[in-house]
Amino acid sequence: MALPDLVAQVERRLPHPDDFTSPARGPRTTARLGLALGVAFGICFLTGMWSHYQYSMPGWLPIGPNPSWLYRVTQGVHVISGTAAIPLLLVKLWSVYPRLFLRPPREIRALALDGLERASIAVLVASGIFQLATGVLNIAQWYPWEFSFRRTHEAVAWIAIGSILVHVAVKLPVIREALVGRADDGESEASDGPSRRAVLLGAGAASGLAVLLTAGQTVPFLRKVSVLGVRDGDGPQDLPVNRTARAAGAREAAQDPSFVLEVRHGAKVVSLTRAQLAELPQRTHRLPIACVEGWSRNATWTGVAIHDLLALVDAPADSTVKVRSMQTRGAFGTSELPGDFVSDPRTLLALELNGEVLDLDHGYPCRIIAPNRPGVMQTKWVRNLEVVA
Amino acid sequence: MTGRLALGAVGVAAAVWGVVMLSDDGTSRLVNVAVWLVGGVVLHDAVLAPTVVLLGVAAAHWLPRSRRSLVAVAFLIWGTVTVGAANVLLDVGGKPDNDSLMNRPYVVSWLVLTGVLVVMVLVASAVAARRRTGRNA
């Protein structure tokens, strides 16, 4: 069969937009879902970029230790708004699905414009689904792909937000008419199947339910309600673990009885056993661990303030300190504490968690805990602190 | 019009910046990213959406007219929440040595959620039916 005939045959079998009869579809439905989805993706974008910024923190605008709960909130909101977006996106795609079967115009200029718009929507849908899917899988620590999650999720975020802006620019007259126009387009009164109002209320309810069923990993009073959350907030010493000592390859070194912590400032080096660390002045603070995966939990930490350790090697209290872990596997084996964290008395080399000796999976013999930092920078199984500036 | 053009230009610039960031990666990784980007669209447009359309056709055929609306909205809520929770329900992810992650009875919770929605639909349609017969009597 000749190719044009084949195309014509396939075309005859494809549905037409008119074949989809639900009166709940239409611009007034789509624009309202789009508005909610735009807000959710906008929040995801801003909080996500904030997190990337905090990971790579350049010197020109340092993020300080205050307020101690800030990262907990921004990253919790990031994952919550992404979760809320899943039902909204699915219902929005449902509302425009018939338009996928619109036949392209024959006139060449119109055809080019139509092709361009379809391409931009393909980018929008692909990047939107990609962000939500990879985000959900990252939270469950499942990486069935070859690319780097962090860098790709960041790059595709720019593509997603860019294609949303293009889409809004293209559709603005339709959106305006759909949101504020009073003209009765006959789509609202359904005799058969759900009305527009019912679909919108359903989408809102689904979005809210998806949040309720997962947000307990960061919102304490929802812990019992969030039965579909990947974390229930429990773990050794009442705190979840992101990476165990076994996964980090730190089990042997961390349990070595001859462990000494090395504090280095140029040529001056002080070595301290865990018992000697415990004899230094101890401070107790309540600080959250807040992970990029959106979970967070407050805990009570006891240990030595980092600037007290710096005093032993005659380093200024606001020095920048490089922290090295005993971990042998995985990323973030080192971290850098900027001066304004080091000088904060809440930034500790913690020895105890919730009144007990630090669990091996929480970083025994000693770990960093500082206010307002992503979890991966709260380095565990610390073996070395070095003043670098 | 100028405002729309400016908005579109900002959007194109942001998307191009995203592509530039991606292109730092090697070819095989880029192919993998492309597979995931296209895969999501194909999964939705060619599998999920047609399935929902067919279920709609079936509902229009089998369900009494008066119940369609209720069932459709309940299905919307159930279906979208289920898709969002697909990974915990299929038990993908988690780490064998970390029981503070993926540590809940997800399938049981999901069955309860499903049951609650079914009961809500049954009760609501019974109430609606009684109201109708009350009116007709």
Side-chain angles (χ1 to χ4, degrees):
Chain A
M1 194 188 302
L3 190 61
D5 288 342
L6 184 66
V7 171
Q9 280 234 337
V10 171
E11 197 269 338
R12 262 199 300 281
R13 273 156 210 237
L14 282 178
H16 282 264
D18 294 345
D19 297 336
F20 298 85
T21 53
S22 172
R25 288 191 176 96
R28 294 173 70 179
T29 309
T30 308
R32 282 168 176 79
L33 290 165
L35 187 63
L37 202 51
V39 170
F41 266 75
I43 292 172
C44 273
F45 181 79
L46 294 174
T47 49
M49 287 304 147
W50 177 258
S51 179
H52 285 294
Y53 179 74
Q54 192 141 13
Y55 267 56
S56 59
M57 204 160 12
W60 51 269
L61 182 63
I63 298 171
N66 288 310
S68 63
W69 42 261
L70 183 61
Y71 188 74
R72 175 181 200 182
V73 170
T74 60
Q75 204 53 27
V77 165
H78 180 79
V79 171
I80 285 172
S81 56
T83 305
I86 295 172
L88 297 174
L89 179 64
L90 287 168
V91 181
K92 184 170 193 275
L93 290 176
W94 168 85
S95 77
V96 290
Y97 188 60
R99 296 181 61 79
L100 188 63
F101 301 99
L102 276 172
R103 302 304 192 255
R106 289 177 186 280
E107 195 261 316
I108 193 79
R109 204 183 112 86
L111 182 68
L113 280 176
D114 183 67
L116 215 55
E117 197 196 335
R118 274 172 187 265
S120 77
I121 289 172
V123 172
L124 172 65
V125 176
S127 57
I129 294 175
F130 183 94
Q131 288 301 85
L132 296 181
T134 54
V136 163
L137 295 186
N138 175 60
I139 291 168
Q141 299 193 357
W142 193 47
Y143 305 100
W145 48 67
E146 293 164 29
F147 47 83
S148 143
F149 168 74
R150 192 177 133 210
R151 285 175 53 196
T152 314
H153 200 66
E154 182 181 15
V156 179
W158 283 99
I159 299 177
I161 207 74
S163 56
I164 288 172
L165 293 180
V166 169
H167 188 56
V168 171
V170 171
K171 293 288 187 194
L172 203 56
V174 182
I175 297 170
R176 196 178 285 139
E177 178 60 32
L179 291 183
V180 302
R182 295 178 194 285
D184 182 23
D185 51 8
E187 58 175 73
S188 55
E189 279 314 306
S191 56
D192 200 14
S195 64
R196 184 186 75 228
R197 173 180 280 275
V199 167
L200 289 175
L201 285 174
S207 188
L209 187 61
V211 168
L212 275 182
L213 293 177
T214 54
Q217 65 166 351
T218 190
V219 183
F221 66 87
L222 289 177
R223 279 180 63 200
K224 296 279 173 271
V225 181
S226 294
V227 292
L228 296 181
V230 291
R231 290 177 189 274
D232 63 2
D234 262 340
Q237 299 171 333
D238 283 337
L239 189 71
V241 170
N242 197 42
R243 193 189 299 153
T244 60
R246 184 186 302 278
R251 275 181 75 87
E252 282 70 37
Q255 296 178 103
D256 186 344
S258 65
F259 161 78
V260 284
L261 172 83
E262 196 182 77
V263 187
R264 181 182 288 271
H265 176 215
K268 194 162 167 80
V269 182
V270 169
S271 294
L272 298 156
T273 65
R274 198 174 185 285
Q276 287 169 325
L277 282 169
E279 281 162 17
L280 293 172
Q282 303 289 303
R283 300 176 192 246
T284 298
H285 293 292
R286 224 172 140 68
L287 288 173
I289 286 275
C291 184
V292 69
E293 289 153 15
W295 67 267
S296 61
R297 195 155 185 213
N298 250 326
T300 303
W301 305 89
T302 300
V304 188
I306 298 295
H307 62 61
D308 287 349
L309 288 168
L310 294 197
L312 301 177
V313 289
D314 304 324
D318 61 349
S319 310
T320 302
V321 173
K322 182 128 188 156
V323 183
R324 291 190 185 84
S325 168
M326 296 176 229
Q327 75 182 62
T328 54
R329 280 199 295 272
F332 299 99
T334 65
S335 66
E336 204 167 272
L337 277 169
D340 46 358
F341 285 88
V342 172
S343 59
D344 191 304
R346 294 170 298 174
T347 300
L348 302 178
L349 187 72
L351 305 175
E352 288 182 17
L353 163 56
N354 289 335
E356 293 171 26
V357 171
L358 209 53
D359 187 275
L360 185 58
D361 285 335
H362 285 309
Y364 178 88
C366 54
R367 74 167 301 166
I368 297 293
I369 181 76
N372 189 26
R373 294 207 97 196
V376 287
M377 295 178 180
Q378 312 277 29
T379 308
K380 303 197 274 193
W381 314 291
V382 173
R383 64 174 164 87
N384 173 288
L385 299 173
E386 184 179 357
V387 176
V388 290
Chain B
M1 196 63 205
T2 323
R4 284 173 68 199
L5 281 176
L7 192 62
V10 171
V12 169
V16 167
W17 171 240
V19 173
V20 169
M21 285 180 78
L22 271 185
S23 60
D24 287 348
D25 260 333
T27 315
S28 84
R29 284 181 163 198
L30 280 183
V31 170
N32 195 231
V33 172
V35 166
W36 275 77
L37 279 167
V38 175
V41 179
V42 170
L43 204 61
H44 177 269
D45 285 4
V47 180
L48 193 59
T51 306
V52 172
V53 168
L54 290 180
L55 286 173
V57 170
H61 194 76
W62 297 106
L63 279 179
R65 192 170 288 260
S66 59
R67 306 226 168 136
R68 283 180 205 163
S69 217
L70 199 57
V71 172
V73 173
F75 175 76
L76 180 167
I77 294 171
W78 175 85
T80 56
V81 169
T82 300
V83 168
N87 71 312
V88 294
L89 295 174
L90 298 171
D91 194 25
V92 293
K95 299 278 183 247
D97 63 339
N98 185 357
D99 51 14
S100 68
L101 176 66
M102 302 278 283
N103 53 356
R104 298 192 141 170
Y106 299 109
V107 174
V108 174
S109 304
W110 176 79
L111 287 173
V112 170
L113 174 73
T114 306
V116 167
L117 282 170
V118 167
V119 168
M120 282 171 77
V121 167
L122 291 177
V123 168
S125 55
V127 168
R130 170 172 277 185
R131 229 180 254 156
R132 259 192 311 279
T133 47
R135 252 202 321 268
N136 292 344

